[in-house]
Amino acid sequence: MKNRFLVSLLRGLLLVALATPMWAAASAPTPINAGDIRIENPSRNVGLTIGDVLTRTVSVDLPPGFRIAKSALPQKGSQQQGIELVDVKLEEKSAGKGMHYTLTLRYQIFAHRTQPSVLQLPAETIAATGDKQAVTIPVPAWRFWLSPLAASTMASAKANVMPELPPAPIATQEHKLRLYACLGLLAAGVLGLLYINAERAWLPLMGGPFAQAYRRLKRLPAASTQAAYLLLHQAFNRTYGSSLFAADIPAFIAQHPRFAPLQADIEAFFQASAASLFAGRQSETENKVKADLLHLCRQLRDCERRAR
């Protein structure tokens, strides 16, 4: 009886011993091949300063039935050694029978050092579950050099501030010359138009006898033909220095050569004036007479100003 009990006990212990490795294998985390995990760290690990943002990417292919839960990811806002996890982004897509995950972790440096120091992005562990089993995806720490914004030997940053570079000067001499030339041409053109068309007596060379006669002649009514003839005669007399008659026209032209282009018109004026003032004959209408006298007076004024 006692031997039979011992045999049964030994048989039970043997069965438990044989079953233990199978249960352990069933409950142990399923391993992931190293080739299924790809970790991409920041491109540089020197010259980093406070405020810089570092990005690391973890890509992993999981076997069928396994998923990464968002609750198993590193917590946004966690800090370690002055480095804060500011963003966590998980993307997933089908890859054959399994799933492909891409995890993006963005860290920002808030640590302050007065001399170059070695810091590290913390090691992370990501858990994936499926079929009551679990796998872990290790993300090792990544070390880098943190550079200070100012050397610790500086007594005062303000005393060592360098002035900003002044903007490069623009060569303006050529543009100035062009501007002055254009302004000169503009002034000359305005003055030329002013002296040709202006009728103000106070302007230089604007108060000559024929200029004054032209201004007064424009204000005369068309019926005042005799007064219009007299105005022109007075302008001729003032210009000549004495009374000017038809016989004196060559002498007038010799004295004032600038009126030479109008000699024939002046002679025609004296003939028309004699016929109107002394003979009382007028072959043209009053309006036509005034228009002809205005035209002649203006030509004489232009010659007076040497504008012709």
Side-chain angles (χ1 to χ4, degrees):
M1 184 73 177
K2 188 179 294 186
N3 292 335
R4 186 177 300 175
F5 174 76
L6 291 175
V7 171
S8 300
L9 181 61
L10 291 174
R11 184 180 298 172
L13 292 175
L14 179 61
L15 290 175
V16 171
L18 293 174
T20 299
M22 297 177 62
W23 174 82
S27 60
T30 302
I32 298 178
N33 296 329
D36 295 333
I37 303 174
R38 293 171 295 279
I39 301 175
E40 183 178 349
N41 287 310
S43 58
R44 63 189 180 98
N45 60 354
V46 294
L48 300 173
T49 59
I50 184 172
D52 286 347
V53 176
L54 305 176
T55 302
R56 65 196 316 195
T57 304
V58 182
S59 301
V60 60
D61 293 316
L62 293 181
F66 283 86
R67 296 289 185 272
I68 295 179
K70 291 186 177 181
S71 59
L73 298 177
Q75 294 300 310
K76 178 180 177 180
S78 60
Q79 295 187 15
Q80 184 176 338
Q81 294 185 340
I83 300 173
E84 180 178 347
L85 181 59
V86 295
D87 188 37
V88 179
K89 182 178 181 182
L90 180 66
E91 298 177 350
E92 63 177 357
K93 64 180 180 179
S94 299
K97 295 182 179 180
M99 296 293 295
H100 176 79
Y101 286 89
T102 301
L103 176 63
T104 303
L105 304 174
R106 297 177 70 246
Y107 301 85
Q108 188 166 17
I109 304 172
F110 292 100
H112 170 65
R113 299 291 187 271
T114 57
Q115 53 186 322
S117 304
V118 176
L119 299 181
Q120 66 179 22
L121 298 184
E124 308 285 1
T125 300
I126 305 168
T129 59
D131 297 332
K132 299 181 180 181
Q133 296 180 351
V135 294
T136 57
I137 304 169
V139 181
W142 181 78
R143 304 174 68 189
F144 62 91
W145 279 94
L146 178 69
S147 300
L149 293 179
S152 58
T153 55
M154 277 192 176
S156 173
K158 183 177 180 180
N160 293 277
V161 171
M162 301 295 290
E164 295 183 357
L165 291 176
I170 300 175
T172 59
Q173 187 63 27
E174 183 178 353
H175 300 292
K176 286 182 179 179
L177 293 177
R178 291 178 180 175
L179 176 62
Y180 295 153
C182 291
L183 291 177
L185 290 174
L186 177 62
V190 170
L191 288 176
L193 292 173
L194 181 67
Y195 275 97
I196 291 174
N197 300 286
E199 300 178 5
R200 301 299 179 187
W202 54 267
L203 291 171
L205 302 178
M206 295 291 117
F210 290 107
Q212 296 181 23
Y214 181 75
R215 289 193 291 271
R216 296 175 60 185
L217 186 60
K218 287 200 303 181
R219 294 193 292 268
L220 285 178
S224 302
T225 55
Q226 291 187 354
Y229 280 115
L230 290 176
L231 281 175
L232 271 179
H233 278 292
Q234 292 173 2
F236 277 113
N237 294 341
R238 290 174 57 193
T239 303
Y240 186 54
S242 60
S243 298
L244 180 66
F245 299 98
D248 301 324
I249 292 177
F252 174 80
I253 296 298
Q255 182 180 353
H256 303 284
R258 60 181 178 273
F259 295 105
L262 300 177
Q263 183 172 350
D265 295 326
I266 295 173
E267 292 173 351
F269 163 74
F270 272 87
Q271 293 176 2
S273 173
S276 177
L277 295 176
F278 301 109
R281 298 192 307 273
Q282 187 169 295
S283 58
E284 304 287 348
T285 63
E286 294 174 342
N287 288 333
K288 181 67 167 57
V289 171
K290 181 178 180 181
D292 291 343
L293 291 179
L294 275 173
H295 179 68
L296 175 62
C297 190
R298 179 164 182 164
Q299 288 181 306
L300 292 168
R301 182 201 67 179
D302 292 344
C303 291
E304 181 180 63
R305 295 176 181 174
R306 292 180 173 85
R308 291 175 60 87

